[in-house]
Amino acid sequence: MEKEIKICVIGLGYVGLPLARLFSTKYKTIGFDMNAKRCEALMAGHDATLEVSDELLQDAINNHGFRCTTDLDEIRDCNFYVVAVPTPVDDNNRPDLKPLWGASETVGKVISKGDIVVYESTVYPGVTEEECLPVVEKVSGLKFNEDFFAGYSPERINPGDKQHTVEKIKKVTSGSTPEIADIVDGVYNSVLVNGTHKAPSIKVAEASKIIENSQRDVNIAFMNELAKIFNAMGIDTHDVIEAASSKWNFIKLSPGLVGGHCISVDPYYLIQKAQVYGVLPRVMFSARRLNDGMGAYVANQTIKAMNLKGVKVKDARILLLGITFKENCPDIRNTKIVDIYHTLQEYTPNITVYDPWANPEAVKHEYGIDVVNALPADSRYDAVILGVAHDQFKQLDVRGLLADPANGVVYDVKGVLDRNTIDARL
């Protein structure tokens, strides 16, 4: 790689766009995405995911030559390709590698001798070398590790997090040969404030990413199990956690809904691969089942609270505050709020979902649920569930949204409301 590095980032979503924008500050960089509307919007200077501010995006376009395209011919002169496409699961929670295969075909159509392709998508160990690179070889006619080379640097983007932005994240890097590992590490290191950790192999780098999210999944599942236990005992879980966290080595976590594209999806990749090797990952599998059931649990706890207060559940008017998978972020991927909605829907059709961050069209398309970006005037409810801790919700007089403030129910999933104003919390 003695020639000038020219970068192409394939996939301009929550991961790809921030990375491409950052690379553009030092290297000639172009973003590639199959979604023409997405590219047009970005070139107009706005990122609908809100991961890159309009100011930074426009600076990259106007001052650093960054551009987005759907045209393969525009990325043929690049020599450092970064793949940042989603890695979902299917309806049976089995890894769906179709986006990765498609991106690998794209790379194969444009890659040349001496070029490098780096994968960022979260996968189980072995996907890069066993699933992706053979596709690149087949399409390009080039030989891996002779004509072209590869690396893996797992993404660590946290949607909506304005503190741990991409340039501040310490990234793991790896390469298909020691020399390529040095090059990949050098490229990433050159734009990161906190540097890199160079893993000894691509498989180690892949494995490191998958356990980052699996560890959080298991830890949160433990807290969710504790919440169920203490709720049954009539003990406030948050009070217990506060007391326990006074010990120096206690890891303070909170119970909650586990949605999004990482923690709620990635563990299934390792679970599936482990079983291929004859290992049944019981802890991980149990954690996934427990966390996937928390939406229904919240709905049933709300119904219990309504019954205890004598609030009629059938045809009750219920307000859900939030549908994105986390606070102050428009990301609706794998949100578990829909599980609360569908469980309540068995009892009443009168459910209003209010979220100022969510795109109503996207929610309707993905989940078939109607969302409003503003509270209907003078509407009052029998129960209110705060499911997402958006800043706007913390300022609401939630009790004032009840038709009967004395007997209505407020359920706080996130534990952020004044406990004197709520009836129950997770």
Side-chain angles (χ1 to χ4, degrees):
M1 292 291 292
E2 295 179 356
K3 51 190 175 182
E4 177 188 3
I5 291 176
K6 298 179 181 179
I7 297 175
C8 171
V9 177
I10 298 173
L12 297 175
Y14 283 87
V15 173
L17 180 65
L19 185 65
R21 196 285 309 172
L22 180 61
F23 275 141
S24 73
T25 62
K26 190 171 181 68
Y27 305 99
K28 178 182 177 183
T29 304
I30 185 168
F32 180 86
D33 200 287
M34 298 293 289
N35 188 334
K37 290 184 178 180
R38 171 71 169 160
C39 289
E40 291 171 5
L42 293 177
M43 290 306 294
H46 178 67
D47 169 28
T49 71
L50 306 182
E51 288 303 301
V52 176
S53 69
D54 291 355
E55 180 182 7
L56 283 177
L57 181 57
Q58 291 164 17
D59 174 69
I61 294 170
N62 298 328
N63 299 323
H64 300 288
F66 175 64
R67 69 185 192 278
C68 307
T69 186
T70 60
D71 187 351
L72 284 175
D73 288 333
E74 292 193 47
I75 64 174
R76 291 186 188 279
D77 64 340
C78 295
N79 50 33
F80 193 96
Y81 296 92
V82 178
V83 174
V85 296
T87 43
V89 292
D90 62 19
D91 292 338
N92 296 311
N93 293 320
R94 294 176 300 194
D96 180 2
L97 298 179
K98 289 193 290 292
L100 271 178
W101 291 331
S104 297
E105 288 181 6
T106 297
V107 172
K109 293 174 182 177
V110 296
I111 200 167
S112 301
K113 284 191 175 183
D115 292 354
I116 296 173
V117 54
V118 179
Y119 289 84
E120 289 234 353
S121 305
T122 304
V123 293
Y124 58 76
V127 167
T128 299
E129 292 158 297
E130 297 166 11
E131 297 285 348
C132 298
L133 297 178
V135 174
V136 178
E137 282 188 314
K138 181 178 179 180
V139 175
S140 68
L142 301 177
K143 186 71 174 175
F144 170 52
N145 265 353
E146 291 182 13
D147 300 319
F148 74 95
F149 305 89
Y152 183 81
S153 180
E155 62 90 3
R156 280 178 169 168
I157 293 293
N158 186 24
D161 189 338
K162 301 308 177 185
Q163 180 180 356
H164 302 96
T165 50
V166 62
E167 65 271 14
K168 298 176 184 176
I169 296 171
K170 184 171 185 176
K171 279 182 65 64
V172 174
T173 66
S174 62
S176 55
T177 71
E179 295 78 16
I180 295 302
D182 287 341
I183 294 172
V184 172
D185 191 69
V187 170
Y188 279 91
N189 225 328
S190 67
V191 296
L192 298 174
V193 174
N194 293 313
T196 59
H197 172 90
K198 186 169 63 173
S201 70
I202 287 176
K203 285 184 178 179
V204 168
E206 291 171 324
S208 73
K209 172 57 180 177
I210 205 75
I211 71 165
E212 289 174 20
N213 293 337
S214 297
Q215 182 188 66
R216 283 184 54 78
D217 195 36
V218 170
N219 285 342
I220 296 171
F222 175 58
M223 290 300 170
N224 282 335
E225 191 162 60
L226 291 179
K228 288 185 173 183
I229 294 170
F230 295 137
N231 286 342
M233 293 179 173
I235 302 172
D236 189 287
T237 306
H238 292 268
D239 287 345
V240 175
I241 293 171
E242 284 298 320
S245 63
S246 64
K247 188 182 180 187
W248 65 92
N249 61 350
F250 180 80
I251 301 173
K252 187 178 181 180
L253 295 170
S254 299
L257 304 178
V258 183
H261 190 68
C262 293
I263 301 176
S264 67
V265 173
D266 296 343
Y268 286 119
Y269 275 69
L270 190 54
I271 289 171
Q272 189 271 348
K273 193 63 175 179
Q275 292 177 88
V276 171
Y277 284 86
V279 179
L280 180 61
R282 298 181 188 275
V283 173
M284 292 174 59
F285 187 74
S286 295
R288 277 285 72 241
R289 290 187 63 183
L290 196 153
N291 285 340
D292 276 347
M294 290 307 292
Y297 175 79
V298 166
N300 288 320
Q301 287 295 105
T302 303
I303 291 168
K304 177 182 177 180
M306 293 171 70
N307 283 328
L308 289 173
K309 277 202 162 188
V311 179
K312 184 180 178 182
V313 176
K314 180 173 170 51
D315 297 328
R317 296 161 297 172
I318 299 178
L319 173 64
L320 279 179
L321 293 175
I323 196 168
T324 63
F325 94 88
K326 65 182 298 187
E327 65 274 8
N328 305 323
C329 172
D331 195 346
I332 62 170
R333 294 175 297 173
N334 299 308
T335 174
K336 297 306 176 184
I337 302 296
V338 299
D339 296 337
I340 300 176
Y341 180 92
H342 288 310
T343 302
L344 293 174
Q345 204 175 30
E346 297 176 19
Y347 300 88
T348 175
N350 304 317
I351 305 171
T352 300
V353 183
Y354 163 47
D355 195 318
W357 285 84
N359 182 323
E361 292 182 3
V363 176
K364 185 70 173 179
H365 177 267
E366 187 69 22
Y367 301 110
I369 296 174
D370 293 315
V371 174
V372 295
N373 291 136
L375 272 176
D378 300 323
S379 294
R380 292 296 180 265
Y381 305 91
D382 300 304
V384 177
I385 301 174
L386 184 139
V388 187
H390 292 321
D391 288 342
Q392 293 95 324
F393 296 161
K394 298 176 186 178
Q395 312 304 320
L396 283 176
D397 174 14
V398 180
R399 197 117 212 126
L401 297 173
L402 296 170
D404 184 348
N407 292 315
V409 169
V410 173
Y411 190 99
D412 183 6
V413 174
K414 300 297 291 185
V416 297
L417 298 177
D418 183 343
R419 63 191 303 170
N420 295 317
T421 68
I422 66 174
D423 298 282
R425 60 179 177 175
L426 187 58

